[in-house]
Every structure is written in C-alpha cells, then in structure tokens.
Amino acid sequence: MNSQIPVTTLNDGMKVPMLGFGTYTMNGNQGAQGIHHAIDAGYRLIDSAYNYENEGTVGEAVRRSSVPREQLMITSKLPGRYHSYDKALITIQESLYRAQLDYYDFYLIHWPNPKQEMYAEAWQALIDAKRWGLIRSIGVCNFLPEHIERLKKETGVLPSINQIELHPYFNQEEQRMFHEEHHIATQSWSPLARAKNILGEEVLQEIARAHNKSISQVVLRWQYQLGSIAIPRSSSHERQCENMAIFDFSLSETEMSKIASLTRADGRLKDQDPAEYEEF
Ligand SMILES: NC(=O)c1ccc[n+]([C@@H]2O[C@H](COP(=O)([O-])OP(=O)(O)OC[C@H]3O[C@@H](n4cnc5c(N)ncnc54)[C@H](OP(=O)(O)O)[C@@H]3O)[C@@H](O)[C@H]2O)c1
C-alpha cells in the first residue's frame, strides 16, 4: 500500500508527503470511517487539532487501518487557551491520551493570539515535548513573519512548518517567500477554499478542461507547484482519490499566473487575520 505522493525534507530532517488530509468536522464513527478511507486511498499525513475534538477519531482511524503507525504522520494542534508552559505540556499529553498514540509526528501552535502574547512560552513547551519524545517535529499555524522572528529570538528554534490559509483567493505570496528564506515548509489550510465559489471560476474551468482534470485537481496541483503541502478534506472516498490524482500532469507558467490572478487582498474566507484574530 505504498503511496504515490512525493516527499519533502523539513528543516529538522523530517520527511513529509507533499499532500496530506484535513479532518475538520470529521468526528465519531463516520469521521473515523472517512479518515480510514483516506488512508486506504494513500494519504499518510493526517491533520487534526485539539479544538476539532477529533483526536480520538483520528486515533481510531489509525487503529482501523492496516497501514503501520510508523508509516503515518499524525498532526495535532495546541489551542490558544493553553499557551502557558505548564498547560501546554499537559495539553500535549492529553492530546496523546485522546488519540491513544505514543507520539505525534507534528504538533503545531494553532494560532499565535498576539494580544494574549504567550506564544513564545507555548513554543518552549513544544521544544521540550519534542526533546522528551512526545512529538517528532514542531511547527505553528497562522504565524506572521513577526511572530516567527520572535520565536527565533527567544528560543533560537524555528518551526519546521507553518500551516496557513492558502488558496487561489489568497495566495500568500509574501508569507511564502519568508518561509522559503527561513527553510520553513508552507502547509495550506482550506486549500480548496472549501470548494464553494471556486468551483464556478471560469479561469479554473478552462484550465481543468485543457488538462482533462477537475477544478479541485487543478487547484491542488497549483498548490504543489507553489511548493506548499495542501491538506484537503473530503468525506467522500471518490473525492479523496480524485484529490490525490495530481501528480501526472503539470501547469504551465501562464496557467500558474492565471490562477494567481484570482488572489485579492481581502481574499481570506472568514477575515481571520492572525495580526488581530484570536482563537481559544
Ligand atoms: N490551522 C488552521 O487554523 C486551520 C483552519 C482551517 C482548516 N484547517 C485544516 O485544513 C483542512 C482543510 O481545510 P477545510 O476543511 O477548511 O477546507 P477544504 O479542504 O478547502 O475544503 C473542504 C470541502 O471541499 C469539499 N471537497 C473536497 N474535495 C472536493 C472535490 N474534489 N470536489 C468537490 N468538493 C470537494 C469537501 O466536501 P466533501 O466532504 O463532500 O467532499 C469539503 O466540503 C481542515 O480539514 C483542517 O484539517 C486548519
């Protein structure tokens, strides 16, 4: 059951697939079945979060699967209300108990919550949890360059990954350049912009027709060619497979720029600007 997904190496030496699977709202037995199907389809990187209340569901899917645990990469995330050092360490352990896992491959700070201003303390807890073997690789989500600079200044340790909102309506060009300069991998959340308006975009329809692919495949291929690790979610096995079939065609420079032209300064899906927005 070897997966066809190309792999990249992170700044801490971890190897990770260039396409993963999102699980937001996938909970309970139905969620576990859906995630199990995604693993069957060939996904090896599975995203979750303490705040999705589905770490247990992901753990159950891992146990239902015949793919050995060590071939899977499981992610969870620290919520904003547990940024203090002691609470962060307890939360990481609680995340592991919920999933019934011995370690997470990735543990990320979910939001910087800059007004609360405790993310550097939380980061120190992640650094120590990694040292103690609870996590293999540590990263962040939704961190702006100034937040990452602060982590570097206070701890000397850069995240391996920054998971950010990235889709054709918000292509994050500057943030991606910053990641490249600092050897931080970009991971795209809502990579399909939740598959609403995007499916009606003429420019995407035209490119999809030219390659005999679906719009979702074109968007995910665009993500891959940008160098970002997309984590699309789908509850349907058919669409899970469809979203993986993106490694047998490529987009031209012109097509890449046409997709980039859909980007707008206010293109975020829910106006969640990490400089202001906080989530607990
Ligand atoms: N770090 C953060 O702050 C953060 C924030 C948001 C999300 N995330 C993570 O990112 C993951 C992905 O983002 P997302 O779930 O928000 O959105 P998404 O992956 O962009 O879109 C998911 C939606 O697209 C539909 N879809 C998937 N494949 C499709 C296809 N081939 N054709 C048509 N429709 C398709 C799905 O419907 P069906 O299920 O019916 O296929 C679902 O409604 C999340 O699940 C979560 O793990 C992280």
Side-chain angles (χ1 to χ4, degrees):
M1 210 183 282
N2 278 335
S3 184
Q4 315 291 314
I5 302 173
V7 164
T8 188
T9 304
L10 304 178
N11 62 16
D12 57 5
M14 277 278 276
K15 291 194 188 311
V16 65
M18 284 297 294
L19 180 73
F21 185 73
T23 68
Y24 178 57
T25 69
M26 297 185 78
N27 297 66
N29 181 50
Q30 214 180 346
Q33 243 352 64
I35 298 164
H36 178 195
H37 284 150
I39 296 171
D40 269 352
Y43 292 91
R44 294 293 176 267
L45 171 66
I46 311 292
D47 188 67
S48 69
Y50 193 98
N51 272 355
Y52 302 167
E53 306 278 7
N54 72 353
E55 292 163 312
T57 300
V58 169
E60 175 61 20
V62 169
R63 282 183 296 284
R64 285 185 194 180
S65 167
S66 58
V67 176
R69 165 70 184 97
E70 59 277 13
Q71 288 181 26
L72 297 169
M73 308 196 90
I74 313 297
T75 302
S76 194
K77 314 192 189 92
L78 181 75
R81 63 189 179 284
Y82 299 136
H83 277 191
S84 77
Y85 181 84
D86 291 345
K87 283 186 180 163
L89 279 180
I90 286 175
T91 305
I92 293 164
Q93 294 166 68
E94 178 62 25
S95 285
L96 287 168
Y97 298 153
R98 289 175 175 201
Q100 295 182 46
L101 296 175
D102 298 328
Y103 64 91
Y104 273 101
D105 298 279
F106 293 99
Y107 209 82
L108 317 176
I109 300 179
H110 207 149
W111 286 90
N113 284 12
K115 286 174 243 166
Q116 192 184 202
E117 229 194 345
M118 289 175 72
Y119 58 84
E121 191 173 325
W123 186 239
Q124 189 58 55
L126 265 63
I127 293 170
D128 291 342
K130 181 182 171 190
R131 194 174 299 141
W132 299 330
L134 304 180
I135 309 167
R136 293 177 67 209
S137 184
I138 55 176
V140 294
C141 306
N142 305 304
F143 271 46
L144 297 173
E146 70 221 48
H147 306 136
I148 294 175
E149 296 285 10
R150 172 118 183 237
L151 298 185
K152 190 175 161 195
K153 191 163 154 247
E154 293 203 15
T155 67
V157 181
L158 281 173
S160 59
I161 280 179
N162 189 11
Q163 186 183 110
I164 53 174
E165 176 172 359
L166 198 170
H167 42 72
Y169 297 131
F170 202 70
N171 76 10
Q172 296 266 24
E173 190 170 1
E174 278 177 33
Q175 181 83 37
R176 283 189 287 107
M177 295 307 122
F178 176 85
H179 291 168
E180 263 179 43
E181 276 164 33
H182 293 80
H183 309 289
I184 296 167
T186 304
Q187 212 169 65
S188 307
W189 62 256
S190 294
L192 298 171
R194 298 217 160 137
K196 288 181 184 145
N197 301 343
I198 207 125
L199 300 181
E201 291 293 347
E202 259 178 50
V203 67
L204 295 174
Q205 283 169 350
E206 194 186 302
I207 297 170
R209 268 197 303 274
H211 291 277
N212 202 17
K213 288 281 177 183
S214 69
I215 287 188
S216 301
Q217 288 170 325
V218 166
V219 171
L220 293 171
R221 178 72 203 187
W222 172 79
Q223 298 267 6
Y224 173 64
Q225 289 186 216
L226 286 183
S228 187
I229 304 166
I231 47 168
R233 158 179 59 101
S234 179
S235 52
S236 133
H237 188 59
E238 199 187 339
R239 287 190 286 282
Q240 291 168 358
C241 295
E242 176 188 329
N243 294 345
M244 273 190 58
I246 60 164
F247 301 108
D248 57 355
F249 75 112
S250 47
L251 300 170
S252 66
E253 283 303 314
T254 316
E255 290 169 329
M256 290 293 287
S257 338
K258 278 187 183 168
I259 301 174
S261 73
L262 293 171
T263 278
R264 306 184 308 253
D266 65 349
R268 295 184 196 273
L269 297 176
K270 289 191 166 171
D271 202 20
Q272 293 170 327
D273 177 355
E276 295 294 328
Y277 177 79
E278 296 203 307
E279 199 170 285
F280 294 90

